[in-house]
């Protein structure tokens, strides 16, 4: 099986642009979406988006999340304040830690059947990129920024 995956943290707004969000947070994003840049009728994308992403191959989801949080943690107070402001009067969160995974993807990473421990024999189906968890630091970050966790898996 081949696995392709990436992680990003996004703040979405129908009123603030990504440039305005960057100024408020004090950090430039890796990626942006501009409201209405693809279509005005219907409005696509429906919102502006400010994203910090990790798409580095060979990393587990845990490691990708950790890299994103490492970059954002110093700005968590500013992010939390902005998200609180954006959430006023709206239902749902505008901040999301997004995990995206594709199984059996042609561009994905091949399962490594070599075991790091010679005494342990790996069995097919124990892909090195399967399985992940959120540690206390990540949970505190999500809480402090009022962010949701969304996991999309395709296969």
């Amino acid at each position: 099986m081949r696995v392709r995956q990436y992680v990003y943290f996004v703040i979405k707004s129908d009123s603030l642009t990504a440039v305005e969000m960057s100024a408020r947070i004090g950090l430039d994003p890796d990626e942006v979406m501009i409201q209405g840049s693809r279509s005005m009728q219907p409005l696509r994308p429906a919102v502006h988006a400010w994203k910090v992403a990790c798409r580095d191959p060979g990393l587990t989801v845990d490691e990708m999340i950790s890299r994103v949080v490492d970059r954002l943690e110093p700005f968590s107070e500013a992010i939390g304040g902005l998200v609180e402001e954006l959430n006023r009067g709206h239902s749902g969160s505008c901040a999301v830690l997004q995990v995206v995974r594709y199984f059996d993807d042609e561009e994905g990473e091949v399962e490594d059947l070599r075991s790091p421990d010679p005494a342990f024999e790996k069995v097919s189906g124990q892909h090195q990129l399967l399985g992940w968890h959120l540690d206390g630091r990540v949970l505190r970050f999500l809480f402090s920024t009022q962010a949701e966790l969304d996991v999309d898996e395709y296969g």
Side-chain angles (χ1 to χ4, degrees):
M1 174 172 62
R2 293 175 167 269
V3 177
R4 181 171 59 96
Q5 56 193 15
Y6 57 93
V7 169
Y8 62 89
F9 183 88
V10 61
I11 301 173
K12 301 177 234 175
S13 173
D14 59 3
S15 59
L16 288 180
T17 67
V19 170
E20 293 168 315
M21 288 187 253
S22 294
R24 298 276 298 276
I25 294 167
L27 178 69
D28 287 332
D30 297 330
E31 304 170 15
V32 300
M33 284 191 329
I34 299 170
Q35 183 181 43
S37 61
R38 288 193 304 258
S39 166
M40 293 305 286
Q41 290 294 330
L43 192 59
R44 296 287 183 258
V47 294
H48 298 288
W50 178 99
K51 295 181 184 182
V52 169
C54 181
R55 298 176 185 274
D56 300 336
L59 299 179
T60 64
V61 168
D62 309 44
E63 293 167 326
M64 289 179 167
I65 290 172
S66 186
R67 286 190 180 186
V68 168
V69 171
D70 285 347
R71 291 178 56 203
L72 294 174
E73 202 168 31
F75 304 92
S76 60
E77 189 174 321
I79 292 169
L82 176 60
V83 170
E84 183 176 340
E85 180 184 320
L86 292 173
N87 279 340
R88 282 191 206 120
H90 298 282
S91 59
S93 179
C94 65
V96 178
L97 178 62
Q98 183 75 52
V99 176
V100 181
R101 307 177 86 198
Y102 296 90
F103 303 108
D104 290 326
D105 187 86
E106 288 181 13
E107 298 175 28
E109 295 179 51
V110 179
E111 181 177 2
D112 185 355
L113 292 175
R114 296 171 294 158
S115 173
D117 181 353
F120 177 75
E121 182 179 326
K122 274 191 84 178
V123 177
S124 180
Q126 295 177 333
H127 199 291
Q128 67 276 7
L129 297 180
L130 295 179
W132 57 281
H133 77 286
L134 300 176
D135 61 22
R137 178 180 80 109
V138 171
L139 293 173
R140 284 187 296 278
F141 172 78
L142 292 174
F143 181 78
S144 72
T145 59
Q146 302 179 48
E148 297 177 355
L149 172 66
D150 185 13
V151 179
D152 292 341
E153 297 183 326
Y154 306 97

